[in-house]
Amino acid sequence: MKKKFIIMATVIALAGVLTTACGANQKGKIDYLVLVNKYSQLPDNWEKNVELVSAKNAWDEDVKLEKQTYEHYKELEKALKKEGVIIVLDSIYRSVKEQEELWDRWSKDPEKGIDYAKKYAAVPGYSEHHTGLAVDIVIEKDGKLIEENEDMIAEREIFEKIHKKLADYGFILRYLEGRDDITGYTYEPWHLRYVGSKKIAKEIMDKDITFEEYLESIKDIKGTPEAAKYQIEKTLQEYFKEVYGDKISNSRFNVTKIYTAKEEKEEPLKSLKIGDKDIAFEVTYQLQPSEGTDPNELMIPDGEYDKKLGWVKNLSRLGVLKYSEKNKSYSIENFGTGW
Ligand SMILES: [Zn+2]
């Protein structure tokens, strides 16, 4: 928990920088890249500045959401309808006060209880639904509403179609599968988030990263261990492109350890900012030979070719991520040889 707190404290600081940079402190203007999660609280002036509009949800109840979010949501809804996918609004905006009431109600409900509330409801002040930019949807299938969380998760095919369209309307899928260590939430295919820009939404969705990771990645040189891992993987991708050119069509990395690279002493990286020091790392990776490439060329002594999957798998390697203050860029050094 403490580690998470440090990470998020940095993100909060970043959110502050973005807010100022975008001039979001002006009345009536909001920062569409605002980060609100379990560790990052809704900015003080948000409820005063956000422009909300009214809409009806699946049960004909009045709901509110941020103006631009609603406009783009309607376009998304229309586009999906053309493909035979029906999405309907569920809950959207909740004020801090309403969240307090929901938390209270769920914790006291014998069928739900405190654990359920902890899992599915954010602590008041820490819910993305306070922003008006988060939209929960339900789906309609064969004329029937599918609204229970478990039932929706089971509708993989429908949600795949929905998620494919999100970025075209400035939305992202906020709580990705298997990424709860970063987002703080398990997979929620129904929770969409408007980020104010199709370009940014596309980048996040294409890279298959969380919103938290995206915010880290645009911070240029400063970051957290998570940002360091992200940066290492990104730089390795470029490194392999340089080494192999079009001999590979794809590469995958999983950074398993990071250290400060200091006089051969392994010092685990805790809250060090990348760019301050060189970072040594351990990574497992695999390469996909492009058509016509002999996998043996990518083998590096101990590689293994998985014929069925068409990937060359390699064992762990060590390397160092270096940051050049002069060029404002990263490079990989001593790859395979350690530090
Ligand atoms: Zn939600």
Side-chain angles (χ1 to χ4, degrees):
M1 189 46 89
K2 197 165 178 215
K3 185 178 154 212
K4 279 235 167 105
F5 177 73
I6 294 164
I7 296 166
M8 288 312 160
T10 321
V11 179
I12 294 165
L14 163 74
V17 172
L18 284 172
T19 306
T20 324
C22 301
N25 287 330
Q26 294 163 32
K27 201 179 175 356
K29 290 212 175 148
I30 53 163
D31 173 15
Y32 285 96
L33 290 180
V34 68
L35 179 74
V36 178
N37 63 19
K38 286 185 178 169
Y39 320 96
S40 184
Q41 199 172 1
L42 186 78
D44 276 348
N45 54 2
W46 189 272
E47 294 193 331
K48 203 175 78 211
N49 286 344
V50 67
E51 192 176 351
L52 299 170
V53 292
S54 291
K56 291 277 184 196
N57 73 0
W59 303 273
D60 215 31
E61 296 161 342
D62 283 316
V63 288
K64 280 186 182 138
L65 68 169
E66 190 273 328
K67 199 175 167 219
Q68 259 197 59
T69 306
Y70 188 40
E71 280 161 17
H72 288 84
Y73 169 80
K74 281 190 290 189
E75 284 177 32
L76 171 72
E77 196 183 74
K78 224 195 267 170
L80 282 166
K81 207 171 184 176
K82 278 187 192 151
E83 294 191 3
V85 176
I86 314 274
I87 61 170
V88 196
L89 289 174
D90 180 359
S91 63
I92 305 132
Y93 175 77
R94 274 197 296 273
S95 67
V96 177
K97 198 166 159 269
E98 284 164 331
Q99 188 77 6
E100 278 164 5
E101 288 160 7
L102 176 86
W103 184 270
D104 199 46
R105 206 162 55 238
W106 281 10
S107 330
K108 284 177 189 155
D109 183 337
E111 275 181 26
K112 291 191 167 90
I114 188 83
D115 287 339
Y116 186 92
K118 273 185 189 161
K119 196 173 171 192
Y120 290 110
V123 176
Y126 293 81
S127 166
E128 199 175 56
H129 285 285
H130 297 324
T131 63
L133 309 173
V135 176
D136 283 345
I137 54 165
V138 292
I139 52 173
E140 204 182 291
K141 192 187 173 189
D142 307 324
K144 266 168 91 183
L145 274 188
I146 299 178
E147 56 190 274
E148 293 300 327
N149 293 348
E150 289 74 15
D151 298 339
M152 283 200 277
I153 286 171
E155 294 292 344
R156 296 197 85 91
E157 222 175 282
I158 295 177
F159 273 103
E160 217 169 273
K161 282 187 193 162
I162 296 169
H163 298 159
K164 252 190 212 151
K165 277 257 176 284
L166 295 182
D168 291 344
Y169 303 90
F171 285 92
I172 59 165
L173 177 62
R174 185 67 179 82
Y175 305 125
L176 300 172
E177 205 161 8
R179 246 53 84 75
D180 41 325
D181 57 331
I182 300 169
T183 63
Y185 289 89
T186 53
Y187 184 49
E188 290 192 7
W190 57 83
H191 182 111
L192 319 178
R193 161 69 194 266
Y194 183 66
V195 293
S197 150
K198 290 172 195 180
K199 199 171 148 250
I200 292 172
K202 214 166 162 23
E203 190 181 339
I204 295 171
M205 292 300 282
D206 284 352
K207 284 184 178 162
D208 191 30
I209 53 172
T210 60
F211 188 51
E212 279 82 358
E213 286 165 301
Y214 171 75
L215 292 179
E216 290 286 347
S217 75
I218 57 169
K219 281 187 344 183
D220 97 277
I221 58 165
K222 298 296 179 206
T224 61
E226 266 61 30
K229 280 184 185 173
Y230 177 80
Q231 193 59 56
I232 290 164
E233 292 177 3
K234 216 169 109 186
T235 314
L236 274 170
Q237 215 142 29
E238 288 155 18
Y239 172 84
F240 274 90
K241 244 185 248 160
E242 252 168 58
V243 174
Y244 290 115
D246 358 297
K247 283 182 179 169
I248 54 169
S249 56
N250 218 336
S251 52
R252 275 185 202 153
F253 306 95
N254 181 24
V255 173
T256 50
K257 264 185 198 167
I258 40 178
Y259 297 101
T260 53
K262 208 171 118 198
E263 292 153 14
E264 299 189 17
K265 221 178 103 203
E266 289 185 14
E267 186 191 328
L269 192 60
K270 284 203 188 84
S271 61
L272 180 82
K273 291 176 172 62
I274 48 172
D276 287 355
K277 284 175 189 155
D278 297 339
I279 294 168
F281 60 86
E282 243 178 80
V283 64
T284 55
Y285 65 99
Q286 46 191 78
L287 307 171
Q288 190 178 40
S290 46
E291 262 192 70
T293 301
D294 178 0
N296 286 308
E297 283 184 57
L298 311 176
M299 234 41 133
I300 321 176
D302 49 355
E304 221 180 84
Y305 182 55
D306 186 327
K307 251 192 182 159
K308 221 171 106 193
L309 295 175
W311 286 82
V312 172
K313 293 177 173 176
N314 290 284
L315 300 174
S316 297
R317 288 285 187 281
L318 309 172
V320 172
L321 178 78
K322 262 192 180 306
Y323 179 71
S324 156
E325 189 62 56
K326 204 176 131 221
N327 304 327
K328 300 256 179 285
S329 69
Y330 294 94
S331 62
I332 298 290
E333 290 187 13
N334 303 344
F335 192 69
T337 58
W339 58 88

